[in-house]
Amino acid sequence: MMALQNRCRRKSRVRVMPGWQVEVLDAKTRKQICFLDKVEPYSTIADIKSLVHKSYPQWYPARQALKLDPKAKALRDEEVLQSLPVGTTATMYFRDLGPQLGWTMVERPRSQECFIGLVMCVTLFSQVFLAEYMGPLFTYLMFYFRLPFIYPHRYAFTSSPLTVTTLACACHTGHYMKRLVETIFVHRFSHGTMPLRTIIRNCVYYWGFSAWLAYYINHPLYTPPYYGDLQINSACALFVLCEVGNFSIHLTLNSLKGEGTKVRNFPTPTRNPFTWLFFFVSCPNYTYEVGAWLGFSIMTQCLPVALYTLLSFIQMSVWARGKHRAYTREFKAYPGLRMAIVPLVL
């Protein structure tokens, strides 16, 4: 009887235990934005963002970044408050990420919200897919079909008689079509939205380079590669192989997480020979991406394409090295032979 009473007292104490307190400060000014009282210890960062959103409707959860230190990395939505290195009174620093746009279409609207939902679907679908990936498709085709006001008027709506220009158009179109398919059906993004300023920056990058490449490759004065069909066909084969390899790696990365779970594992090779590059690099998707653009550069023998390939390699090397460091920190059994993007080198 005494033991039962003791257990009841302990349960009673648990029930009346006050919640935690979370003070949210502006990461730049250090001024208090809000003070959350009686927050459950098992609340996630996503829950805290929802509480902030109630006080400030303009800052919806996807627009918020919460940190334990102004210069630290933003906390993940699935992290639990009681598992963080904070006491019962936690201080978090808020950063406004700016307007966010969705990667994919919104959820299917209910019948009473059909019209509004349809507008949102079309808008969100076009925001990322059309802006980043479908844009380069149309941009390149404008030059390929030589629309008026691009080249001298006598070349309007003509096409180049060179085989390499047709192959280049097919490769460029296939590349961005693959990106669209991967984004819709394969990729799982760690964030459900993208900042508006990032989309604008990406559009300038993709659209600008696409137009620059297409202008020279489809120019009436463009000349074919020095070594002719041998160079064109060999480089085209390299491009296709790397595109298949890139797609294979994305499928493998997609299979690392099952639906509804956030358990992380590092990628390993499968029976697919294209994934065997995992034996040597942490990010073979970037390796294949650079290989594809290298093949495109050799096939077209065009200086702007080579420059685009170099810039892409530099950027993807930065991303790959960041992921490689994250893998080595997170997984103690991570293979030591792997490099970031170039086998045995980088």
Side-chain angles (χ1 to χ4, degrees), residues 125-136 199 202-203 206-207:
F125 182 77
S126 63
Q127 284 166 347
V128 175
F129 297 154
L130 179 60
E132 287 197 7
Y133 299 147
M134 293 187 68
I199 293 181
N202 290 355
C203 285
Y206 288 121
W207 288 52

Side-chain angles (χ1 to χ4, degrees), residues 210-248:
S210 176
W212 194 33
L213 308 182
Y215 176 81
Y216 285 99
I217 296 174
N218 298 285
H219 198 282
L221 299 180
Y222 172 77
T223 56
Y226 183 80
Y227 292 101
D229 289 344
L230 176 63
Q231 179 176 342
I232 294 170
N233 295 334
S234 300
C236 184
L238 173 62
F239 178 89
V240 173
L241 287 174
C242 287
E243 288 289 290
V244 175
N246 180 267
F247 185 73
S248 300

Side-chain angles (χ1 to χ4, degrees), residues 187-209:
H187 291 323
R188 292 179 185 173
F189 300 99
S190 56
H191 299 286
T193 59
M194 175 185 283
L196 178 60
R197 59 178 176 270
T198 302
I199 293 181
I200 295 175
R201 181 191 65 200
N202 290 355
C203 285
V204 172
Y205 179 81
Y206 288 121
W207 288 52
F209 266 108

Side-chain angles (χ1 to χ4, degrees), residues 72-260:
K73 189 176 180 180
L75 297 169
R76 299 191 303 272
D77 285 349
E78 64 270 17
E79 293 189 74
V80 180
L81 181 60
Q82 63 184 1
S83 65
L84 299 175
V86 296
T88 55
T89 301
T91 300
M92 294 186 182
Y93 296 89
F94 168 87
R95 180 190 170 199
D96 180 13
L97 298 177
Q100 303 287 303
L101 300 177
W103 282 101
T104 57
M105 292 187 291
V106 295
E107 295 180 357
R108 183 174 297 178
R110 293 175 296 191
S111 57
Q112 63 268 32
E113 300 171 348
C114 184
F115 177 74
I116 298 176
L118 179 60
V119 173
M120 292 177 65
C121 283
V122 173
T123 303
L124 290 179
F125 182 77
S126 63
Q127 284 166 347
V128 175
F129 297 154
L130 179 60
E132 287 197 7
Y133 299 147
M134 293 187 68
L137 286 176
F138 294 129
T139 302
Y140 195 99
L141 292 175
M142 287 171 54
F143 290 87
Y144 177 75
F145 291 109
R146 294 177 177 175
L147 297 186
F149 312 111
I150 296 178
Y151 302 114
H153 183 70
R154 66 180 182 274
Y155 295 109
F157 297 111
T158 63
S159 59
S160 173
L162 301 175
T163 303
V164 64
T165 58
T166 303
L167 277 177
C169 181
C171 290
H172 189 276
T173 302
H175 174 77
Y176 282 100
M177 288 296 294
K178 181 182 73 70
R179 283 196 173 188
L180 280 169
V181 171
E182 289 173 340
T183 306
I184 299 172
F185 300 107
V186 178
H187 291 323
R188 292 179 185 173
F189 300 99
S190 56
H191 299 286
T193 59
M194 175 185 283
L196 178 60
R197 59 178 176 270
T198 302
I199 293 181
I200 295 175
R201 181 191 65 200
N202 290 355
C203 285
V204 172
Y205 179 81
Y206 288 121
W207 288 52
F209 266 108
S210 176
W212 194 33
L213 308 182
Y215 176 81
Y216 285 99
I217 296 174
N218 298 285
H219 198 282
L221 299 180
Y222 172 77
T223 56
Y226 183 80
Y227 292 101
D229 289 344
L230 176 63
Q231 179 176 342
I232 294 170
N233 295 334
S234 300
C236 184
L238 173 62
F239 178 89
V240 173
L241 287 174
C242 287
E243 288 289 290
V244 175
N246 180 267
F247 185 73
S248 300
I249 297 301
H250 287 157
L251 289 177
T252 303
L253 295 175
N254 174 269
S255 66
L256 285 179
K257 287 195 225 177
E259 293 290 344

